[in-house]
Amino acid sequence: MRKKIVLWLFLSIFIGLQIWCFFIMFKSPFLGIYLGLNNQNEWVITELAEEGAGYDLDFKLGDVIKQVDGKLPNENLKITNWQVLEQVNNIVISRDGVVHEVVLSNNSLITYNILPLLEEGFCLFMAGLLFAKMRRSPSAKLLAAVFLTIGIIYMSQGASVRGDIVGKILIGSFMILLPIIFYHFLVVFFKEKGSVQLPVWFLKYLYLIVILSFFVSLLYFYPPMLPLVYEHAGSIVMSFFIAGFLTNISILTFLYLKVRKEKSYLLSIVRNVWLSLLISFLPAISLSFLPYLLVGSQYINGLYTSSFILFFPISFAYLIASNQLYDIGLVLRRFGFACLLALVPSGLFTAIFAFLFQNLADEKQILFVFAGSVAMISFVLYSVEYFTTRLEAFLFPRKFRLRTALKKISKNLGVISSFRELKDIVLVDIVQTLEVMGGAIVFRYEHDTEIIAEGDIDAAEIKHLLQSSALSEHPLYTCIEIHRHEEYTSYLVITRNKANTLLGKEEIQWLHLITSYLEVSLENVHLIRKLTAKMQLLASQLPNEHSAQDIQWFRKVMFELQEEERLRIAADLHDTTMQDLFFLKRRFIALLDKYAMNKEDKEHLNNIVNFVEMINNSLRQSCFELNPFLLKEIGLIETVRSYLDKEAYHTPFVLKFREERASAIEAKDLTTKKHIFRIIQELLNNAKKHSQASHVTFTMTVADRAFVLTYEDDGVGFNSTEARRMEIGSSGMGVEQMKGRVLHLNGQLQLDSREGEGTKLVVTIPIRETMSV
């Protein structure tokens, strides 16, 4: 509660001061007229500030002030106290015995109106942002206080130069506070980021000095002391500011010398803090404050040089927010090089300007044009890389599209493990990015050619051209060799684009870069394919006796991988294709209900709906075969019964299923049931492909504490002593692989088949012991 009261009190005071400073700033212009007494004890103009409105009005050095707002000069407190002429509307002067009257309006230069407000607004925005977004960070809160302090200095600057007492008190007090709060921030920052403890014992005394200076400045309200305070206040404030800067630099230098041999992250932080502090304070001190203390005038107005002070808190706001250390040395080198490059065009531009306006432009204007040109061109050169990167999508849309596609393809290459993925993930992106009619990745073996194609491309023509060695010179295709291997050579073939023109130079270079990525991926895919084939061959030829127990793990791994792949495919089909078909069917039905059609069109659309439903049912059955979820819900027996009943409608033979007291198998785990279901699936697939039977029967029984699955058909049969191994394809296994499943379940498989006499296969699995996990 107390914190809220203090916060609201601070905000109230701040808003009140802000309103007062605004009032003073916009009530009257900044004149910049400084006065002194002549020998006749008259107030005369001794100095005109170039930034003030008085410099552009009808005032000259030596003019005698006769009246101010209808009163004598000695009756104006600004003149008697500050020796300045500010916050007036009407001035009567005498020049060479001639009396002139000057009527003023608030038309100050932007320098003393808008520029301080912009700088103040930026500081207050950064302070609020740091406090709102990173209030848990002590260094962020102190950095917000730094921004707030700088903001108050800018806020009071406009009122101070106009001779307002409140403005002078604020700018003096907070100028003294600024280097102290800078150091306090450094103490907390180094403790938070580098676990370094800087000396803090004297901080409380420094804050006490700020409080004392504030109370001393209140003597501005005491007329007898006002001239004395005004005479020395500026020098004291600037001297204290310079001393605070030197103290900060000295402590950082000592810390740098202490840690420079460690070559650690802390060393980089100290070096960057030191450079940031130097860049922030050195311009204001060397070009404004020191000249004022030594010769009584500033080389460059402090309003301009003080803008550099923002560099330090801005850079550390970035460091705290991103927790990243930037290389300020690199930044300075890059900007310095940009300035060197800007000198020549800036010099040429300034020379042209001076020639065209030689009768109008003075030396200061020419210097301003040259300095402004150097600064502007340097900034453009320095930031061109950043802006071209950010705006690349608009400035170079083709290059941006190619670069984005390259990043996407290179990222996707890491997950490719099959030729199907190579087409779906890479080739599709290449064709879409280049906007060509089609593309293909070609593998040329010694006696065969394999082509993975996408889009409108003639695979047969590609194969013919490759065999005749005419593909690389063909005018309609762009052919790039990807990889030459001892077993194959791979190519990337791209057609013309959709505008029927060949690919450009930039696109060809992009394709060569793509092929350099593809080279490694294709080699990996080839090795994966080769290794998978060998593993499946080994799995089908594993020993069928218990003497091979030491490689039983291999069977388990193979079966688990197969199940994972089936589950993935089933999920993909269900979540993509089947959902698309469902919504397609709904769209067709909505068309039937929405529009009036003739009988023929309506029947045609109904047939399409039925065809979509048929495809959906077929996919649903495929998903079930890939993932027999009913095993968990209704058990093995009923799942097999349901599966064979549905298959009976599509088989070329009579399919029967018998179950005799086999319910004991339901007590087994889900993995065992899946193995049995896969065996039945493979037996049925083999029957449909090879048996040429008229009757096929599956029987499940339990006898002698063992589950018995019997398969019988009256087909052509084969020589069981020379059972051929089926080709490994999408359907899965041959007879030897079924043996592998049975052995994995600690079971036995008996095969009885003769040519022309059908086939009988008996699988026996113990009920009590089954290695299924």
Side-chain angles (χ1 to χ4, degrees):
M1 185 65 182
R2 183 178 299 176
K3 288 184 178 180
K4 288 186 178 181
I5 294 175
V6 173
L7 179 61
W8 281 108
L9 181 62
F10 171 80
L11 288 175
S12 301
I13 295 174
F14 177 80
I15 293 172
L17 292 173
Q18 182 75 77
I19 294 173
W20 175 257
C21 291
F22 277 176
F23 171 74
I24 297 298
M25 185 181 300
F26 293 105
K27 174 186 174 184
S28 58
F30 168 63
L31 298 178
I33 301 175
Y34 300 93
L35 307 176
L37 291 170
N38 61 11
N39 295 331
Q40 289 77 33
N41 209 30
E42 295 175 316
W43 290 101
V44 298
I45 298 176
T46 58
E47 183 182 352
L48 290 172
E50 294 183 9
E51 299 84 2
Y55 188 83
D56 297 322
L57 295 173
D58 190 21
F59 292 106
K60 291 184 178 179
L61 298 179
D63 288 348
V64 179
I65 308 300
K66 291 296 185 180
Q67 286 186 357
V68 177
D69 289 338
K71 298 180 180 180
L72 294 175
N74 287 328
E75 297 177 15
N76 187 291
L77 294 178
K78 297 289 187 302
I79 295 176
T80 57
N81 292 334
W82 317 112
Q83 290 82 51
V84 298
L85 195 58
E86 295 289 349
Q87 300 184 47
V88 297
N89 299 314
N90 182 279
I91 305 173
V92 177
I93 62 173
S94 173
R95 181 184 307 153
D96 299 327
V98 180
V99 177
H100 298 270
E101 182 179 3
V102 181
V103 179
L104 304 175
S105 60
N106 191 0
N107 58 352
S108 288
L109 297 176
I110 191 173
T111 303
Y112 277 88
N113 271 352
I114 305 301
L115 185 58
L117 292 181
L118 293 177
E119 292 172 324
E120 178 201 349
F122 176 78
C123 290
L124 296 181
F125 170 77
M126 290 299 297
L129 186 66
L130 286 168
F131 186 77
K133 298 295 184 181
M134 292 178 284
R135 65 176 62 188
R136 294 184 178 179
S137 170
S139 61
K141 288 194 289 188
L142 269 172
L143 189 59
V146 170
F147 273 113
L148 182 61
T149 302
I150 299 174
I152 293 175
I153 292 173
Y154 284 126
M155 177 186 75
S156 57
Q157 190 271 342
S160 175
V161 296
R162 287 168 172 81
D164 180 69
I165 292 179
V166 174
K168 290 185 178 296
I169 293 174
L170 285 175
I171 198 169
S173 300
F174 281 90
M175 283 283 288
I176 293 175
L177 175 64
L178 184 58
I180 299 173
I181 202 167
F182 256 124
Y183 179 74
H184 196 170
F185 162 74
L186 291 177
V187 170
V188 177
F189 175 80
F190 277 111
K191 185 176 181 180
E192 183 179 300
K193 298 294 182 181
S195 300
V196 175
Q197 183 64 59
L198 295 178
V200 296
W201 59 269
F202 54 83
L203 265 178
K204 57 184 178 181
Y205 301 108
L206 293 177
Y207 282 119
L208 183 60
I209 292 175
V210 175
I211 296 173
L212 290 175
S213 68
F214 172 77
F215 284 107
V216 170
S217 63
L218 292 179
L219 293 174
Y220 277 125
F221 293 106
Y222 184 55
M225 295 297 296
L226 191 150
L228 180 64
V229 175
Y230 176 70
E231 181 181 358
H232 299 288
S235 300
I236 293 173
V237 169
M238 292 184 185
S239 299
F240 194 91
F241 186 89
I242 294 172
F245 164 74
L246 293 176
T247 302
N248 283 321
I249 285 292
S250 301
I251 292 175
L252 287 174
T253 303
F254 174 78
L255 182 61
Y256 176 80
L257 295 175
K258 183 179 179 181
V259 300
R260 64 176 179 174
K261 295 182 180 180
E262 298 179 6
K263 303 295 182 182
S264 61
Y265 176 71
L266 179 61
L267 178 65
S268 301
I269 294 180
V270 175
R271 182 172 59 245
N272 281 283
V273 172
W274 193 90
L275 288 173
S276 298
L277 199 65
L278 202 66
I279 294 171
S280 296
F281 287 91
L282 194 60
I285 291 174
S286 60
L287 300 176
S288 300
F289 298 165
L290 273 179
Y292 178 84
L293 293 174
L294 297 176
V295 299
S297 63
Q298 302 177 356
Y299 292 151
I300 300 177
N301 192 292
L303 182 64
Y304 302 114
T305 56
S306 63
S307 300
F308 284 91
I309 294 177
L310 291 173
F311 180 82
F312 184 89
I314 290 173
S315 60
F316 277 84
Y318 166 80
L319 180 58
I320 294 173
S322 63
N323 202 26
Q324 294 179 356
L325 186 67
Y326 59 93
D327 189 349
I328 192 172
L330 177 62
V331 172
L332 293 176
R333 287 195 298 272
R334 286 183 58 187
F335 191 78
F337 184 70
C339 290
L340 289 176
L341 293 178
L343 289 177
V344 175
S346 299
L348 291 175
F349 177 77
T350 306
I352 295 172
F353 173 82
F355 176 76
L356 294 177
F357 303 98
Q358 54 185 325
N359 296 327
L360 301 175
D362 56 20
E363 293 181 358
K364 290 185 177 180
Q365 290 174 328
I366 294 174
L367 181 62
F368 176 78
V369 169
F370 177 73
S373 301
V374 171
M376 186 180 301
I377 297 175
S378 300
F379 175 76
V380 171
L381 292 174
Y382 179 81
S383 58
V384 66
E385 179 183 0
Y386 173 82
F387 285 111
T388 52
T389 301
R390 293 293 182 183
L391 301 176
E392 186 180 15
F394 305 100
L395 299 175
F396 314 104
R398 188 64 176 167
K399 183 179 179 181
F400 175 77
R401 188 175 181 183
L402 292 176
R403 188 171 62 85
T404 304
L406 179 63
K407 290 172 64 177
K408 180 183 177 183
I409 291 172
S410 61
K411 181 179 179 180
N412 291 335
L413 284 174
V415 300
I416 291 177
S417 60
S418 67
F419 286 169
R420 176 185 172 185
E421 292 175 342
L422 191 64
K423 172 186 174 182
D424 294 342
I425 297 179
V426 176
L427 198 54
V428 170
D429 283 341
I430 293 176
V431 171
Q432 291 177 351
T433 301
L434 297 178
E435 297 179 346
V436 295
M437 292 179 284
I441 296 176
V442 183
F443 297 87
R444 185 176 184 181
Y445 302 95
E446 185 177 357
H447 302 294
D448 192 17
T449 301
E450 185 176 3
I451 298 176
I452 304 170
E454 170 63 24
D456 186 12
I457 187 169
D458 191 342
E461 182 183 14
I462 296 296
K463 185 175 182 180
H464 173 72
L465 291 172
L466 188 62
Q467 291 174 347
S468 60
S469 302
L471 182 60
S472 59
E473 304 297 331
H474 198 280
L476 298 179
Y477 299 104
T478 300
C479 180
I480 301 175
E481 182 179 302
I482 300 175
H483 182 53
R484 186 175 291 273
H485 189 268
E486 59 182 8
E487 297 182 11
Y488 69 92
T489 304
S490 55
Y491 304 89
L492 177 62
V493 182
I494 302 296
T495 66
R496 291 189 172 209
N497 59 32
K498 294 180 181 178
N500 200 29
T501 58
L502 288 173
L503 300 179
K505 183 178 179 180
E506 186 178 19
E507 294 165 327
I508 296 293
Q509 292 176 344
W510 183 79
L511 280 177
H512 279 287
L513 191 57
I514 288 290
T515 55
S516 65
Y517 288 114
L518 275 175
E519 180 179 354
V520 178
S521 294
L522 290 182
E523 178 68 14
N524 290 338
V525 170
H526 175 72
L527 292 175
I528 290 172
R529 194 183 195 190
K530 191 174 180 181
L531 181 60
T532 302
K534 289 183 177 180
M535 290 177 67
Q536 290 179 326
L537 178 62
L538 178 60
S540 67
Q541 294 177 339
L542 282 174
N544 56 4
E545 302 297 335
H546 295 286
S547 57
Q549 291 297 322
D550 56 332
I551 53 174
Q552 284 285 63
W553 62 270
F554 183 73
R555 290 195 184 98
K556 180 178 182 294
V557 171
M558 289 297 298
F559 294 145
E560 287 177 350
L561 291 175
Q562 288 175 1
E563 288 301 323
E564 288 178 6
E565 186 66 12
R566 286 188 175 102
L567 286 173
R568 185 189 66 80
I569 296 172
D572 288 346
L573 286 174
H574 181 272
D575 296 339
T576 56
T577 308
M578 290 182 66
Q579 296 299 320
D580 293 340
L581 289 172
F582 173 74
F583 288 113
L584 180 63
K585 178 184 174 183
R586 289 186 60 179
R587 292 288 297 274
F588 282 136
I589 293 175
L591 289 176
L592 281 171
D593 296 337
K594 186 175 181 180
Y595 298 104
M597 302 180 184
N598 57 46
K599 184 178 179 180
E600 183 178 351
D601 291 342
K602 193 171 185 178
E603 183 179 355
H604 182 64
L605 198 55
N606 273 320
N607 289 336
I608 294 177
V609 172
N610 293 333
F611 184 67
V612 171
E613 180 63 22
M614 185 177 66
I615 296 174
N616 210 13
N617 290 334
S618 178
L619 284 175
R620 189 177 293 109
Q621 179 63 18
S622 297
C623 288
F624 170 73
E625 293 178 15
L626 289 167
N627 180 24
F629 58 90
L630 289 178
L631 286 172
K632 188 174 181 180
E633 296 179 7
I634 62 176
L636 174 64
I637 297 172
E638 292 305 319
T639 300
V640 171
R641 192 190 307 279
S642 174
Y643 169 65
L644 294 179
D645 285 346
K646 289 181 180 179
E647 290 291 329
Y649 291 103
H650 310 291
T651 55
F653 42 75
V654 176
L655 181 59
K656 295 181 180 180
F657 173 67
R658 294 200 299 266
E659 177 265 327
E660 300 175 1
R661 301 184 305 277
S663 58
I665 191 62
E666 302 294 358
K668 301 306 297 182
D669 57 90
L670 184 61
T671 307
T672 300
K673 296 176 187 177
K674 273 190 178 181
H675 281 298
I676 297 172
F677 184 79
R678 297 298 182 203
I679 293 171
I680 294 172
Q681 275 185 304
E682 189 60 32
L683 287 170
L684 182 59
N685 287 335
N686 287 344
K688 289 190 287 187
K689 293 178 182 179
H690 309 294
S691 69
Q692 302 179 27
S694 58
H695 291 82
V696 172
T697 303
F698 286 90
T699 305
M700 287 185 181
T701 60
V702 172
D704 297 329
R705 297 182 180 179
F707 169 79
V708 180
L709 170 66
T710 304
Y711 164 86
E712 293 180 281
D713 69 48
D714 58 357
V716 295
F718 58 91
N719 189 348
S720 60
T721 59
E722 298 177 2
R724 60 187 178 88
R725 177 183 58 82
M726 292 176 58
E727 291 295 325
I728 299 172
S730 60
S731 61
M733 314 167 296
V735 174
E736 293 297 332
Q737 283 188 317
M738 281 191 286
K739 283 184 180 180
R741 283 195 185 272
V742 174
L743 288 174
H744 180 68
L745 299 175
N746 288 338
Q748 294 180 348
L749 184 145
Q750 296 176 343
L751 178 63
D752 183 14
S753 180
R754 294 182 180 83
E755 294 183 6
E757 297 183 9
T759 301
K760 181 178 181 180
L761 185 143
V762 180
V763 174
T764 304
I765 299 172
I767 294 292
R768 288 189 174 180
E769 296 182 5
T770 304
M771 187 180 65
S772 56
V773 292

